[in-house]
Amino acid sequence: MSNPLFRVLTGTSDPKRIVESVVPRRSFDDVVLPPSTRRSLDHALTHVTRHDLIFSRWGLGERHPTSLALAFNFAGAPGTGKTICAEAIAHALGRRLLIVRYAELESMWMGETPKNIVATFRLARKENAVLLFDEADAIAARRSAAPDHGFLRETNTVINVLLQELERFNGVVIFATNLAASFDPAFERRIRTHVLFEMPGVDEREQIWRVQLHSRTPLAPDVNFRALAERFEASGGDIRNAVLKAAMSAAAEPGNDAFKTIQQRHFEDGIREVLASKRVMRQSLLDVPAPQALVGEQQRAYPSLPPIATAVAITTSVLGLVVALVALAVALLR
Ligand SMILES: Nc1ncnc2c1ncn2[C@@H]1O[C@H](COP(=O)(O)OP(=O)(O)O)[C@@H](O)[C@H]1O
Ligand SMILES: [Mg+2]
């Protein structure tokens, strides 16, 4: 790749890649959705395949190159399948998926974010990829009318650049957001469909338990997915984690591997552990000493926090560097 920025952003040596280009492996066969989510996703998919036919295969994208981006917002709680559905859409189109971890891109590259966004769209065009802005809650936030703080100005610039790039992009863009945030009106106009990812009901949970396993996974005769689905109100992501935990503990038991099986108690312990650690996370978030009424406000303000933290970190390191240089000069002068 010629652009050094992208060598850094997509470099294989960095496990926490901010932009990742993947060949989608998972399809809609791997996803189980509540009927209403399924319906609006099907609706989105119809738009996508028609768009692809008209503007790519029929060549009209080359004649009419602006305002063609097909933008969707996938909104829902963590673990409800937003990322996997973006992958399934790319799979259905036979295209690569370019995943941008937006929160990280914004917090790690303060000042550079607009440039990185332009470069991301350039790469998406080059690879003809479906573009996913994952964890994009900060994008959904309204632009501030009075951008007097540096970081707010930065956020406004980022959103303006994104809107310009969307205007010039002839492809599919998906924003995945956790908060049911109110979108900036200019952004709202660009979003074709909002797909609400609801928590799975009992029937969906039962099927999700099943799709998380493989035909080679050894199950004990006492395993009962219906009972697990009825008893534990969990998201698809929770069930995935519970299945992996259950398999780990079954594999760790003494005895010959050939006779090991995953039993109901392994699944039950797994899901209990996952749900308990989620409760701990939620608890520690709420423990932040703030009046209860402010919690909503804080959540909305959250997207601005990483740039502040970054600014503080940068200022501190610059000060450190100055002190070190002064010390070096003093040492040399002696
Ligand atoms: N509706 C679902 N059907 C099947 N598996 C799911 C579903 N939702 C989540 N999962 C599982 O949980 C994992 C995490 O889900 P993900 O798509 O990353 O959720 P989100 O992006 O909404 O946080 C997926 O890789 C998949 O294994
Ligand atoms: Mg996700």
Side-chain angles (χ1 to χ4, degrees):
M1 202 150 301
S2 56
N3 186 340
L5 165 74
F6 270 101
R7 244 179 281 133
V8 177
L9 292 185
T10 63
T12 43
S13 57
D14 181 6
K16 235 174 125 193
R17 279 171 291 176
I18 296 173
V19 177
E20 198 177 351
S21 174
V22 297
V23 176
R25 283 183 303 114
R26 294 177 298 179
S27 72
F28 283 109
D29 292 343
D30 302 305
V31 190
V32 183
L33 295 168
S36 59
T37 307
R38 178 87 239 183
R39 265 195 304 276
S40 46
L41 198 64
D42 282 346
H43 184 66
L45 197 62
T46 313
H47 274 287
V48 168
T49 44
R50 255 182 234 155
H51 182 274
D52 200 45
L53 177 67
I54 298 170
F55 295 108
S56 297
R57 284 198 267 153
W58 291 1
L60 287 186
E62 287 168 36
R63 286 272 171 276
H64 310 277
T66 57
S67 299
L68 296 180
L70 206 45
F72 299 101
N73 173 36
F74 287 2
T80 45
K82 301 181 293 292
T83 307
I84 192 180
C85 283
E87 188 176 335
I89 285 191
H91 188 275
L93 290 175
R95 297 196 180 178
R96 291 182 84 94
L97 178 69
L98 198 62
I99 305 176
V100 184
R101 294 192 207 296
Y102 187 77
E104 280 166 37
L105 178 125
E106 196 180 44
S107 61
M108 281 186 68
W109 300 90
M110 195 197 175
E112 295 287 305
T113 316
K115 246 189 280 170
N116 292 341
I117 297 221
V118 172
T120 302
F121 274 90
R122 196 185 308 131
L123 187 67
R125 264 191 293 273
K126 192 171 145 218
E127 294 200 341
N128 195 17
V130 170
L131 193 49
L132 167 65
F133 284 88
D134 218 357
E135 295 153 26
D137 295 278
I139 295 178
R142 283 163 185 278
R143 278 176 293 186
S144 164
D148 38 0
H149 300 293
F151 66 90
L152 274 183
R153 225 179 2 253
E154 159 92 2
T155 307
N156 284 0
T157 313
V158 167
I159 293 185
N160 289 335
V161 167
L162 244 164
L163 286 169
Q164 278 166 24
E165 286 300 314
L166 267 180
E167 191 69 24
R168 294 176 339 112
F169 185 62
N170 168 27
V172 179
V173 186
I174 298 166
F175 298 96
T177 56
N178 282 330
L179 310 176
S182 56
F183 268 73
D184 180 300
F187 229 101
E188 183 66 54
R189 277 196 292 281
R190 303 285 346 198
I191 303 282
R192 183 72 62 111
T193 308
H194 292 266
V195 180
L196 185 62
F197 280 73
E198 303 201 28
M199 286 290 279
V202 178
D203 290 343
E204 288 85 45
R205 292 201 292 268
E206 182 180 352
Q207 284 186 62
I208 294 176
W209 278 103
R210 291 182 201 284
V211 297
Q212 294 296 332
L213 299 160
H214 192 269
S215 55
R216 284 206 306 273
T217 317
L219 297 178
D222 73 331
V223 169
N224 181 341
F225 293 121
R226 185 73 196 176
L228 290 167
E230 280 171 357
R231 191 142 156 225
F232 300 101
E233 235 178 88
S235 71
D238 298 331
I239 295 176
R240 170 195 178 272
N241 294 340
V243 163
L244 294 179
K245 273 184 194 296
M248 287 284 193
S249 21
E253 291 204 343
N256 187 329
D257 284 354
F259 300 112
K260 287 178 182 170
T261 55
I262 312 181
Q263 299 165 28
Q264 185 77 348
R265 64 182 170 85
H266 294 126
F267 286 122
E268 285 173 356
D269 291 349
I271 190 70
R272 259 194 222 107
E273 220 178 289
V274 169
L275 294 179
S277 61
K278 243 173 71 167
R279 271 193 295 276
V280 170
M281 289 279 290
R282 216 173 299 144
Q283 195 58 46
S284 51
L285 278 177
L286 293 177
D287 275 348
V288 173
Q292 203 56 32
L294 277 181
V295 168
E297 284 301 315
Q298 282 187 332
Q299 283 182 344
R300 238 172 290 143
Y302 171 73
S304 311
L305 286 179
I308 301 179
T310 317
V312 171
I314 291 172
T315 315
T316 318
S317 11
V318 168
L319 281 178
L321 186 63
V322 170
V323 170
L325 286 176
V326 170
L328 185 66
V330 169
L332 287 175
L333 287 176
R334 275 181 157 191

